[in-house]
Amino acid sequence: VAPEEFKTSISRVNACLRKNLPVNVKWLLCGCLCCCCTLGCSLWPVVCLNKRTRRSIQKLLEWENNRLYHKLGLHWKLSKRKCETSNMMEYVILIEFLPKYPIFRPD
């Protein structure tokens, strides 16, 4: 993968996160302030916004895969992993190699 292509792909993912993160933080703060009064229901918008952000990044990665990376034998996907330093979970971009199919082998 050319460094320019990799940088462009990562920049697209970062732009998506940069667009959605401030809105998610505002709703999280509002939800935490009102959590006692609403018995936790004020945190539902944060859950929905995080799910929407995750879906938009997955769509972006699928578009990048179809555009470039599948042709190079790579597959990018969003994966949930446990943090090394704590019990929290985080999302990471996992880059996998696609298996090569022998096209010259008879059936």
Side-chain angles (χ1 to χ4, degrees), residues 1-106:
V1 176
E4 298 84 19
E5 290 289 341
F6 181 79
K7 185 178 178 182
T8 303
S9 298
I10 295 297
S11 296
R12 286 187 180 118
V13 171
N14 287 338
C16 181
L17 289 172
R18 200 175 302 119
K19 182 180 85 172
N20 292 324
L21 188 65
V23 175
N24 291 6
V25 170
K26 289 175 188 173
W27 276 102
L28 179 64
L29 291 174
C30 182
C32 287
L33 290 174
C34 302
C35 187
C36 294
C37 301
T38 62
L39 301 174
C41 291
S42 59
L43 293 175
W44 274 109
V46 177
V47 172
C48 294
L49 286 171
N50 285 339
K51 191 173 184 180
R52 187 177 75 178
T53 302
R54 193 170 53 246
R55 259 195 248 126
S56 66
I57 291 179
Q58 288 171 342
K59 284 183 182 180
L60 176 66
L61 291 177
E62 192 58 38
W63 180 79
E64 287 285 342
N65 283 330
N66 291 331
R67 183 183 70 86
L68 175 69
Y69 294 107
H70 282 176
K71 296 173 189 168
L72 299 173
L74 299 172
H75 179 76
W76 287 33
K77 71 176 185 177
L78 202 59
S79 177
K80 189 187 253 189
R81 295 276 170 109
K82 188 174 182 178
C83 290
E84 295 174 3
T85 58
S86 67
N87 284 336
M88 296 179 67
M89 299 297 281
E90 66 181 351
Y91 284 94
V92 296
I93 295 177
L94 188 64
I95 303 173
E96 299 174 330
F97 289 100
L98 294 175
K100 294 188 178 189
Y101 296 107
I103 58 174
F104 296 113
R105 177 187 263 173

